[in-house]
């Protein structure tokens, strides 16, 4: 948001989706990191909303985005499965 210019929610989401697409297979980024890289330094919650509303046909790798503690989305077994298929490593409890 350079120069005080406003961007629409659609534009924000698009920038977040573009950043998510850059996360390499088997790696993760936090919602906050994603927002920061997209130009929204305090937009972690917004990044979470964007990932939750990602259009399915676009194949955005939302499963590569985790919370600030590195935890997966609660109740989302698919996220763990997809990351494991990509070679992601997990800490045991």
């Amino acid at each position: 948001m350079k120069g005080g210019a406003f961007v629409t929610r659609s534009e924000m989401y698009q920038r977040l989706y573009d950043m998510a697409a850059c996360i390499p297979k088997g790696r993760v980024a936090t919602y906050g990191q994603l927002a920061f890289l997209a130009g929204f330094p305090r937009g972690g919650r917004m990044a979470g909303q964007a990932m939750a509303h990602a259009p399915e046909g676009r194949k955005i790798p939302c499963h590569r985005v985790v919370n600030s503690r590195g935890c997966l989305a609660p109740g989302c077994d698919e996220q763990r499965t997809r990351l494991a298929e990509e070679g992601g490593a997990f800490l045991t409890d």
Side-chain angles (χ1 to χ4, degrees), residues 60-83:
I60 299 160
C62 300
H63 63 283
R64 296 182 190 149
V65 186
V66 297
N67 72 19
S68 61
R69 291 177 285 152
C71 297
L72 305 179
C76 187
D77 295 331
E78 181 184 357
Q79 184 179 25
R80 184 180 194 89
T81 300
R82 291 184 71 185
L83 285 171

Side-chain angles (χ1 to χ4, degrees), residues 14 30 35 38 43-44 58 90:
Q14 182 58 52
T30 67
R58 302 248 337 261
F90 300 92

Side-chain angles (χ1 to χ4, degrees), residues 2-55:
K2 297 176 183 172
F6 292 96
V7 294
T8 65
R9 180 181 302 259
S10 176
E11 291 170 323
M12 289 180 202
Y13 280 17
Q14 182 58 52
R15 286 161 70 176
L16 290 162
Y17 297 149
D18 290 346
M19 288 294 105
C22 294
I23 304 169
K25 287 184 178 183
R27 303 296 300 262
V28 296
T30 67
Y31 296 111
Q33 289 171 329
L34 192 68
F36 181 83
L37 292 171
F40 310 108
R42 297 181 54 82
R45 287 180 186 257
M46 179 183 53
Q49 287 294 316
M51 297 302 112
H53 294 98

